[in-house]
Amino acid sequence: MQRYRGGAFIEHGFSTIISCAKMGENCMINQQVTIGWKSIIGNNVKIRTGAFIKDRVVISNDVIIGAGAVVIRDVPPHSIVVGTPARVIKTRNSESEPWIEIS
């Protein structure tokens, strides 16, 4: 995976609204994403097309937010979340490990 050290990589930023208080390194954001006021985004986070992150939500490090997900609660590190409301479907202990499905 290519690393974008420093800030965010906004891919196809059409209709993307970012109002977060802090954004970590190596974040990738697709189009039509809304990040609510005073939310905190960790390092190595991918936010896919059409995702919505509510105000004051903390997205931890090494997280993937699926397309169209509605995130209304904090997201733990090393997680993949999808759905409305978003729920964790996969997790891992570190970035070097494979994803494990949550049953």
Side-chain angles (χ1 to χ4, degrees):
M1 180 175 116
Q2 186 176 3
R3 299 279 181 194
Y4 301 98
R5 302 292 301 180
F9 174 70
I10 300 173
E11 184 175 37
H12 309 295
F14 168 75
S15 194
T16 295
I17 301 168
I18 302 171
S19 299
C20 61
K22 180 181 176 190
M23 183 172 291
E25 293 183 346
N26 193 37
C27 294
M28 181 180 213
I29 301 168
N30 288 115
Q31 66 269 24
Q32 298 176 329
V33 167
T34 300
I35 301 173
W37 183 69
K38 290 199 175 182
S39 291
I40 297 174
I41 310 298
N43 297 320
N44 305 315
V45 173
K46 294 178 184 170
I47 305 172
R48 299 302 188 197
T49 302
F52 171 81
I53 300 170
K54 184 182 175 297
D55 295 342
R56 300 175 189 260
V57 169
V58 176
I59 308 298
S60 300
N61 297 333
D62 185 34
V63 168
I64 298 172
I65 299 173
V70 176
V71 182
I72 60 173
R73 289 186 272 288
D74 294 351
V75 178
H78 314 294
S79 301
I80 297 176
V81 297
V82 299
T84 304
R87 68 191 192 301
V88 177
I89 62 162
K90 291 187 179 183
T91 189
R92 60 185 177 184
N93 293 318
S94 72
E95 288 184 51
S96 60
E97 293 185 10
W99 293 103
I100 301 166
E101 234 174 287
I102 303 287
S103 44

